[in-house]
Amino acid sequence: MAVKFVQPDDAAENEVEFPASSSPEDSIADIVYSHFDAYQRDRASSSSSSSATRAAASMRRDLLSAEESSSSSAAHEATARAIVRCIDSAMAIVAASSSSRKDWSESVASTLELAAAFACHGYGKKKEDDRGCGTVVGFAARAVIQRAAEYGVAEKDAIRAEACGLLGSCARHLVEGNRPAASILKKKKKGVATTTTTGTGAAREVISGWRAECLLSVATALLPRITDKIARVRNAAVSACAHLFAHGDAANASGVLRASDEFAMVDASVRNALLWIAANDSSAGNRALVARILPTVPAAGSDDDDDGEEDDDDDENVRCIIERIKDVDCKVREAALDALRTRVDFEEQLTEDQRVEILRNGLTKRCATTYAKTVELLCTNWLKSTRFDPIALLDRLNPVLNEAVCERASRVLLRVASTIDCETDADEGVALVRKHLGGPEIRELRCTVLKKRSIVPPPIPARGGTDEDDAGEDETQKGIGGSSAPALGTSTALFLRVQCDISANKSDTITDIVSDIPTLCNLLNGHIDRLIEFNNDEDYDEVDEDEAAAFEDDQNFLCLQLIHMAKSSELREEGSRRHFITIMRRILSRLATPDDLVEACVKAMATAHDKESQFLQTVSEILVDVEDDDTFRCPSGHDEKAIVIVRQMRIIAILSIVLESISGRMTGHPILDGFFLHLSPAITSKNAIVREHGVICLSKFCLLSGEEKVVDDFKPLLMTVAGSVEERVEVRAQAALALCDLALIHERMLLGPASDEDDQNEEGGPSIPFKDMLLEMMGHAKPGIVIIAAEIAAKLLLAGRLRDPNLIAWLLVIYFDTSLTADFEADEGAEVAKEVGSPVRLQQLLSIFFPTYSMSSLDANDDMMASVAPLISIVNDKLSGMRKDYVKEALAQRWPIGKMVEYVCYTVDLADKKKNDQGAVAAVSATDEAASNIGEQAMEQSDNDDAEKADSDQALLDENKQEKEVVVEASSTLLASIDVAEFLSEEGADSAPTLYARALAKILASACIDIDAEDRALLRRLKLCVGEAEYANDDGPTVKSIKKLDDLLVDVEDDCDEEEKSVVSEIECEQNEDDHKKEEAAVKEHVVSEEEIDNIVEKENPRQSIGSVKSSTKQSSAEREDRRSSHRVSLADVN
């Protein structure tokens, strides 16, 4: 659809009216319209911006000849009106069109593009104003930008989007028009900007001034559209803003803008809006677009005084782009990585932490495209900036502190270098790297990355010089032992270790890197000796802490890499293996060996042994050597106690790693049993830290011991430590965790002593001491013990090892207690929150535990419901003795009893709903199967058999129907209300604080109970308890709340009706055949005594009633705890 350009007299009604023009002005309009028509026709053949510039230049030449016959001002006004009318015509088509955008987009875009190109290249001549001061230039540009800003607030979103596109075109041509003209004959000198030779310096300042004014108007008009409610409009506005942050040669115009205070405010607002879009826009395309256009370098013309502020803004933009690498949309991540590759300098603009963060988030297997883009960034930008030297690249990533990321980067570099010349390789990242690099660069990458390197470089040739020159050589640049070979760097060690790990031809690669095992061991010994000498130096205390830590970290890192290289060499040769084992034994036997190397040495030594029994024998000999080592000296002096502690900690460290490394086949091995002799002194040490690590090691030792030995020997020891009041919290916690782990493996861990086995139930229930210990720990004053005990109780309950509503009640109290997490600081990091003993970790576990436990089985759900009564008592005990203001605060923040009871009911109902849904599905499938079987049998049987079968089925259906009519499931709200009312009637009037009694009474007042659907016996029981609670309390608000529930139960009868009595009597008759005469009298007289009620067998579901009088009597606490569901089917069985 083409845009038709008409004269003002023939314009449509909705077009802008202009004053009547003379004949020369009409000719100017004709020239403008003809050029716009011609450009629309030529747009199909060429759509580049240069074609619009050429068309604008051609129209400018024709207009200059037409201006000769009229005044300059009138010609400029006529030209501006004609161009504005062309814009109006294009926008009219957008407003009137109801078809798809593709029908008119090309013609409208060509019209707006030509209007921006003509107006914003500085059309107009210098002219003195009426007062004789100032100049008037850029008349058409101001008119076009003003009309575009007016269309930017139109109601139709398509018009606003096109207006933003027009503003963007104006900004682009304004910036490009300010670019100085360069001579094609002379090369521009480096660092010297060339300028146009036409016009005076004052004229150039005037041009820069009106361009800055126009750009400011563009930015002001685009600012509200960046946050438009329509995503398409926001996208057009963001695209237009890209030209405000021009780079390269065009940045000179942006520098003029930066110098303006007014533009600085608008510029800051635009940047903030773009940053908000990048982080919060719902459109992934908009977020990706912002990542592409955000400026990352300061403008070339910015003032020196503002450099710091500009750098801060650009740093914030870089951080925003890096943050987009973690975006949920793949396109946004790709755009961010492309922006980092093309517009961010690796060395100047990125810090070490930012480089590591980019690789950590980009080199992930979760998204293949993001991984490939990160490989492209790493190889074509970062590696190329270091001249394809992987060691130099790793130096900038600090492998000592970021080993995991550096290892991933090394693997990528080695894989790319190995496969980049293979055209058939399917790796997308390698294909992207190959696309950006030429043939010479690819060859340089391969040669530099894959060149032969060794842990022992060739010695540096001797150079001439005096002894004084040699003496002044920096010792840090020498090799181990003062040799002339350069020292092994951390980046080189890591890269060589990774190369050994991933090499396809290990024998050749390892031979090139590690000439032989003795050489590697000598190098390892040299680094360890150097580190020990540094720590034992007399001037150690005078060294700066950061420098000392950096040196120690570097040496430890080098030693670890050398040990890993030895493991990768597989140690197949017998002599090399024996030599390596000897060196590892020597290192572990020395107390001066750094603790950071113990784990790597033990695991490497385990790899060097063929059999685990031989490994245990070597470890046993090492432990003896550690106890006999008398060469260690404490830095503080000859402190024998400190040496003993160091020796015990070294033994624990070795044993802990050994116990983690060996398999379960070694359980009961004599050498393994003998390790306890080395471990027992640490458990009984006077140092708390040694005892804590000793208990941790003992828990690992118990996992590899027989059940008899664990129960008879180690369980009493762990119980003593865990239950000791005088022991430190950390040690008690580790002992309790060890008992929990062992209880999950050995059932006998929860049984009482042998003398108390007769007191256990038939199912081998939990022993009272262990359960009481958990209850005591959960009520402890120290939060650390409470958190550990709660996590242990949750594990044992969910595993089915323990079953007690009191434990669930305590877990509810801990879960709602906000004081446990009050001292936890959010800035401590996510790693701290994941550790055992963290209150945040416990909150997360319990939030999943309660619904999971309720859905695990019917018994667990019943225990969850039964925890309401002990929950009310526990909270009452905690509130007793508190001042009134403290009680109010505790009920509001720590133990909101109303929300706690409501949470229990919600969890129980959620489990019941899941049970019913699964039961309905199972019932439908069973019914379909039964109907199919009955249909097949009916065709084979005779008519008499069919009639007899039908009578039998009908009788069975009648029986099931009658049973369904009798059995009623009680709601969780009803059962919770009964527990609350019983507490208020028994204990609440005497021991409960007034505010607590009021909170419980509010639960009763807000209880929603369906009188017609609930069981009548339970309702009578609730009514009885509510009446007693009303008389037992004398507080006005409490009685008023209780009265509301009492009024709701006013229609509930107090006595059993005849039908319920007959049902109870019939059940008693079936279950007590030995006392037939007594039950016949009970049926005849319709009387049931309390002793006979106790003999009634409980129903399948404790929350289902058969209408017995037993439900109307008050249950004791022992009866509530003994409710069972042994005959019910669990949810797992239903599945």
Side-chain angles (χ1 to χ4, degrees):
M1 181 182 296
V3 179
K4 296 181 179 180
F5 308 104
V6 295
Q7 292 289 348
D9 295 337
D10 300 331
E13 295 181 358
N14 59 349
E15 293 183 350
V16 180
E17 294 291 342
F18 294 100
S21 57
S22 60
S23 178
E25 295 177 359
D26 292 341
S27 63
I28 290 175
D30 291 337
I31 294 173
V32 172
Y33 298 152
S34 62
H35 277 277
F36 272 88
D37 287 333
Y39 182 69
Q40 286 189 79
R41 292 191 297 269
D42 297 340
R43 181 63 183 264
S45 60
S46 176
S47 59
S48 62
S49 60
S50 59
S51 62
T53 305
R54 289 194 300 269
S58 175
M59 183 167 59
R60 190 176 296 111
R61 287 193 299 269
D62 294 343
L63 289 173
L64 288 176
S65 61
E67 290 177 1
E68 296 178 354
S69 60
S70 62
S71 63
S72 177
S73 299
H76 291 169
E77 292 177 1
T79 304
R81 283 198 300 270
I83 294 175
V84 169
R85 185 166 297 281
C86 293
I87 296 174
D88 293 341
S89 300
M91 292 299 183
I93 291 180
V94 178
S97 176
S98 59
S99 58
S100 61
R101 186 176 182 273
K102 64 181 181 180
D103 295 337
W104 50 264
S105 61
E106 184 176 354
S107 59
V108 171
S110 61
T111 301
L112 301 181
E113 179 67 22
L114 181 57
F118 175 82
C120 296
H121 266 80
Y123 175 75
K125 296 181 180 179
K126 181 179 177 182
K127 174 182 178 295
E128 297 292 339
D129 59 8
D130 296 337
R131 293 171 297 177
C133 60
T135 57
V136 179
V137 291
F139 186 86
R142 293 186 181 93
V144 170
I145 292 174
Q146 181 180 359
R147 183 51 58 94
E150 294 173 357
Y151 281 118
V153 295
E155 183 178 357
K156 192 171 183 179
D157 57 286
I159 296 179
R160 298 200 303 273
E162 295 298 332
C164 292
L166 176 57
L167 290 172
S169 298
C170 291
R172 176 165 58 86
H173 287 288
L174 286 170
V175 174
E176 290 178 354
N178 195 60
R179 184 181 303 168
S183 174
I184 62 175
L185 301 178
K186 297 181 180 180
K187 292 186 65 176
K188 181 176 64 175
K189 295 183 179 180
K190 185 176 181 182
V192 179
T194 59
T195 59
T196 57
T197 59
T198 60
T200 62
R204 288 196 296 271
E205 291 180 0
V206 170
I207 292 176
S208 299
W210 75 262
R211 292 182 188 277
E213 179 185 347
C214 292
L215 282 174
L216 177 61
S217 301
V218 170
T220 305
L222 288 175
L223 181 59
R225 302 280 67 81
I226 298 176
T227 56
D228 195 277
K229 61 181 180 179
I230 303 300
R232 174 186 171 188
V233 180
R234 296 196 300 271
N235 186 279
V238 172
S239 300
C241 290
H243 306 293
L244 298 177
F245 310 110
H247 306 287
D249 294 336
N252 295 327
S254 183
V256 176
L257 296 174
R258 296 289 182 93
S260 172
D261 295 336
E262 186 177 0
F263 182 82
M265 298 177 59
V266 178
D267 179 73
S269 301
V270 171
R271 287 171 179 263
N272 293 333
L274 292 177
L275 293 176
W276 187 91
I277 291 291
N280 304 296
D281 198 286
S282 58
S283 173
N286 291 348
R287 299 197 303 272
L289 183 59
V290 173
R292 294 189 184 97
I293 70 166
L294 274 178
T296 57
V297 293
S302 58
D303 293 340
D304 295 338
D305 296 339
D306 298 334
D307 285 347
E309 183 179 354
E310 296 295 341
D311 292 343
D312 293 339
D313 292 340
D314 296 324
D315 291 342
E316 184 178 1
N317 296 342
V318 172
R319 289 193 296 269
C320 177
I321 296 174
I322 295 174
E323 191 69 21
R324 289 304 93 212
I325 300 177
K326 298 182 289 185
D327 197 278
V328 296
D329 192 89
C330 180
K331 294 181 179 179
V332 183
R333 298 194 295 267
E334 293 179 24
L337 290 169
D338 285 336
L340 291 173
R341 177 176 57 85
T342 57
R343 298 193 290 110
V344 178
D345 186 81
F346 168 63
E347 297 186 5
E348 298 296 334
Q349 293 182 264
L350 293 178
T351 63
E352 177 185 304
D353 294 337
Q354 289 176 338
R355 298 166 190 160
V356 172
E357 183 181 0
I358 291 171
L359 294 181
R360 182 184 295 111
N361 297 323
L363 294 179
T364 173
K365 295 296 184 181
R366 290 175 295 182
C367 179
T369 305
T370 305
Y371 187 89
K373 283 290 183 180
T374 309
V375 172
E376 179 187 16
L377 168 67
L378 179 64
C379 295
T380 62
N381 185 308
W382 294 7
L383 184 63
K384 186 177 180 180
S385 65
T386 61
R387 296 188 177 183
F388 301 104
D389 186 1
I391 307 303
L393 176 61
L394 293 178
D395 287 338
R396 290 160 175 79
L397 297 176
N398 196 347
V400 177
L401 300 180
N402 309 294
E403 182 179 0
V405 172
C406 292
E407 181 178 351
R408 272 188 271 175
S410 300
R411 291 178 181 273
V412 169
L413 297 179
L414 290 170
R415 189 183 73 254
V416 170
S418 302
T419 60
I420 194 171
D421 57 347
C422 301
E423 297 292 341
T424 60
D425 186 75
D427 194 324
E428 184 180 357
V430 178
L432 291 175
V433 175
R434 190 185 302 115
K435 178 181 178 181
H436 288 283
L437 299 181
E441 291 177 329
I442 291 177
R443 289 191 294 271
E444 184 180 0
L445 186 150
R446 280 184 51 84
C447 295
T448 307
V449 175
L450 298 180
K451 76 175 184 179
K452 292 184 179 181
R453 297 179 177 87
S454 176
I455 58 174
V456 182
I460 300 176
R463 58 182 175 86
T466 62
D467 296 338
E468 295 179 356
D469 295 335
D470 296 336
E473 184 180 358
D474 188 0
E475 294 295 334
T476 59
Q477 301 299 324
K478 292 184 178 182
I480 300 299
S483 63
S484 58
L488 180 64
T490 56
S491 299
T492 304
L494 174 67
F495 188 78
L496 294 179
R497 193 263 295 175
V498 174
Q499 195 171 6
C500 289
D501 291 341
I502 68 174
S503 176
N505 191 357
K506 286 186 176 295
S507 59
D508 295 340
T509 304
I510 293 173
T511 301
D512 295 336
I513 297 175
V514 183
S515 57
D516 52 26
I517 294 297
T519 302
L520 185 146
C521 293
N522 293 336
L523 187 61
L524 176 62
N525 278 329
H527 281 287
I528 294 177
D529 293 340
R530 186 178 180 182
L531 181 58
I532 294 175
E533 292 176 0
F534 178 78
N535 291 330
N536 295 333
D537 193 350
E538 296 179 355
D539 299 333
Y540 179 80
D541 295 335
E542 299 178 0
V543 181
D544 184 72
E545 293 183 0
D546 296 336
E547 296 180 0
F551 179 82
E552 293 174 355
D553 292 342
D554 290 349
Q555 296 302 315
N556 286 330
F557 184 83
L558 288 172
C559 295
L560 291 174
Q561 301 307 314
L562 293 173
I563 294 173
H564 286 306
M565 287 184 204
K567 291 173 59 179
S568 302
S569 63
E570 300 179 1
L571 301 172
R572 295 180 179 179
E573 202 270 323
E574 181 66 21
S576 299
R577 184 168 68 248
R578 290 183 178 181
H579 181 78
F580 181 74
I581 293 175
T582 302
I583 295 299
M584 291 295 103
R585 177 176 175 178
R586 174 178 174 270
I587 293 174
L588 291 172
S589 300
R590 298 172 61 183
L591 293 178
T593 300
D595 295 335
D596 297 335
L597 305 179
V598 173
E599 180 177 0
C601 291
V602 173
K603 292 182 177 180
M605 190 173 60
T607 306
H609 285 83
D610 295 332
K611 298 180 180 179
E612 289 186 335
S613 57
Q614 298 176 355
F615 172 60
L616 292 180
Q617 180 62 38
T618 304
V619 171
S620 179
E621 296 173 357
I622 292 175
L623 295 178
V624 174
D625 295 340
V626 170
E627 293 180 347
D628 296 339
D629 183 19
D630 56 355
T631 60
F632 178 73
R633 294 292 181 270
C634 291
S636 59
H638 303 281
D639 189 354
E640 295 296 334
K641 294 182 179 180
I643 295 176
V644 171
I645 293 175
V646 172
R647 181 176 288 110
Q648 291 176 344
M649 291 296 294
R650 176 56 53 83
I651 292 174
I652 293 173
I654 295 174
L655 284 178
S656 297
I657 302 167
V658 170
L659 295 173
E660 293 175 0
S661 303
I662 61 177
S663 62
R665 296 190 301 269
M666 303 306 296
T667 300
H669 195 277
I671 299 179
L672 183 63
D673 294 339
F675 286 166
F676 185 73
L677 298 177
H678 302 281
L679 180 60
S680 56
I683 302 175
T684 58
S685 175
K686 294 182 179 180
N687 186 278
I689 298 178
V690 176
R691 291 199 306 273
E692 180 182 356
H693 287 82
V695 172
I696 296 174
C697 187
L698 177 61
S699 64
K700 299 176 183 178
F701 184 79
C702 292
L703 297 176
L704 294 171
S705 302
E707 184 176 1
E708 295 293 336
K709 189 177 185 63
V710 171
V711 174
D712 297 339
D713 298 341
F714 300 137
K715 177 188 172 183
L717 176 59
L718 292 173
M719 289 287 292
T720 302
V721 176
S724 177
V725 181
E726 300 177 354
E727 187 56 86
R728 292 188 61 176
V729 175
E730 294 81 1
V731 183
R732 293 184 63 185
Q734 294 298 336
L737 290 173
L739 286 170
C740 175
D741 295 338
L742 295 174
L744 295 174
I745 300 175
H746 306 298
E747 295 183 2
R748 291 179 56 192
M749 287 295 297
L750 294 175
L751 298 177
S755 59
D756 297 334
E757 287 183 357
D758 297 336
D759 296 333
Q760 305 298 324
N761 53 39
E762 296 178 358
E763 300 177 359
S767 63
I768 295 178
F770 186 73
K771 185 175 66 174
D772 287 351
M773 184 187 70
L774 285 179
L775 292 172
E776 181 268 334
M777 293 178 69
M778 284 193 288
H780 202 275
K782 296 183 178 180
I785 295 180
V786 173
I787 294 171
I788 293 296
E791 185 169 340
I792 292 172
K795 289 180 180 179
L796 296 178
L797 286 170
L798 193 59
R801 297 297 192 188
L802 288 177
R803 206 190 135 198
D804 187 0
N806 290 310
L807 291 175
I808 302 175
W810 272 106
L811 291 178
L812 287 167
V813 171
I814 297 171
Y815 178 58
F816 280 88
D817 190 357
T818 57
S819 63
L820 295 177
T821 57
D823 297 335
F824 182 81
E825 298 181 359
D827 55 355
E828 292 184 7
E831 297 298 331
V832 179
K834 296 179 182 179
E835 296 178 356
V836 178
S838 170
V840 178
R841 167 190 165 95
L842 179 63
Q843 291 289 325
Q844 295 173 349
L845 292 176
L846 292 181
S847 64
I848 301 174
F849 164 76
F850 291 114
T852 305
Y853 180 72
S854 297
M855 296 178 185
S856 61
S857 67
L858 296 176
D859 294 338
N861 201 24
D862 292 338
D863 290 340
M864 186 74 183
M865 189 70 245
S867 65
V868 175
L871 172 64
I872 297 173
S873 300
I874 293 172
V875 176
N876 179 60
D877 294 339
K878 287 184 172 292
L879 296 176
S880 299
M882 285 187 179
R883 286 167 40 183
K884 184 177 180 180
D885 52 346
Y886 291 166
V887 171
K888 183 177 181 180
E889 182 181 358
L891 288 175
Q893 299 182 3
R894 300 183 63 182
W895 304 298
I897 189 63
K899 294 182 180 179
M900 297 168 76
V901 174
E902 181 183 358
Y903 177 74
V904 173
C905 295
Y906 169 78
T907 305
V908 171
D909 293 340
L910 188 65
D912 285 340
K913 181 180 179 181
K914 181 180 179 182
K915 176 198 68 176
N916 294 334
D917 294 342
Q918 293 178 343
V921 174
V924 170
S925 60
T927 303
D928 295 341
E929 184 178 358
S932 177
N933 295 335
I934 292 175
E936 295 177 358
Q937 295 175 2
M939 298 183 63
E940 298 177 357
Q941 292 177 348
S942 60
D943 295 339
N944 295 333
D945 293 339
D946 291 343
E948 184 177 349
K949 180 67 175 177
D951 295 339
S952 177
D953 292 342
Q954 185 64 33
L956 181 60
L957 291 175
D958 294 340
E959 182 179 354
N960 293 336
K961 183 177 181 181
Q962 182 179 3
E963 182 180 356
K964 291 181 181 179
E965 292 177 353
V966 174
V967 178
V968 178
E969 183 175 359
S971 65
S972 59
T973 304
L974 177 59
L975 296 176
S977 300
I978 293 174
D979 291 333
V980 173
E982 286 184 352
F983 176 84
L984 290 176
S985 62
E986 296 175 357
E987 304 177 14
D990 300 331
S991 62
T994 303
L995 294 178
Y996 185 55
R998 292 178 183 178
L1000 293 175
K1002 289 181 180 179
I1003 297 176
L1004 297 179
S1006 61
C1008 298
I1009 301 175
D1010 190 353
I1011 303 298
D1012 299 331
E1014 297 289 354
D1015 177 65
R1016 310 299 297 181
L1018 293 177
L1019 289 174
R1020 285 192 294 271
R1021 177 181 169 188
L1022 175 61
K1023 182 178 180 180
L1024 178 62
C1025 296
V1026 168
E1028 293 180 359
E1030 185 178 356
Y1031 287 108
N1033 291 270
D1034 54 1
D1035 179 63
T1038 303
V1039 175
K1040 183 178 179 180
S1041 299
I1042 298 175
K1043 185 66 176 177
K1044 293 181 180 180
L1045 183 59
D1046 193 16
D1047 296 340
L1048 181 64
L1049 302 173
V1050 68
D1051 295 333
V1052 178
E1053 299 179 358
D1054 294 335
D1055 298 328
C1056 301
D1057 55 16
E1058 300 296 330
E1059 182 181 355
E1060 291 180 347
K1061 293 180 180 179
S1062 62
V1063 172
V1064 174
S1065 300
E1066 290 177 3
I1067 294 177
E1068 290 178 351
C1069 183
E1070 294 177 358
Q1071 297 178 350
N1072 301 286
E1073 296 179 357
D1074 295 337
D1075 200 2
H1076 182 66
K1077 293 182 180 181
K1078 184 176 180 180
E1079 295 192 4
E1080 282 184 348
V1083 173
K1084 184 177 180 181
E1085 297 177 4
H1086 304 288
V1087 177
V1088 182
S1089 64
E1090 292 184 0
E1091 294 180 358
E1092 293 169 343
I1093 292 175
D1094 295 336
N1095 294 327
I1096 298 178
V1097 178
E1098 277 194 329
K1099 57 189 180 307
E1100 182 182 0
N1101 190 338
R1103 292 186 282 117
Q1104 292 178 347
S1105 174
I1106 57 175
S1108 62
V1109 184
K1110 173 186 177 181
S1111 301
S1112 64
T1113 61
K1114 291 191 298 180
Q1115 255 186 335
S1116 64
S1117 60
E1119 289 175 341
R1120 289 196 302 269
E1121 292 181 5
D1122 195 47
R1123 295 192 305 175
R1124 296 182 186 172
S1125 314
S1126 58
H1127 300 290
R1128 294 161 59 184
V1129 181
S1130 65
L1131 294 178
D1133 296 334
V1134 174
N1135 294 330

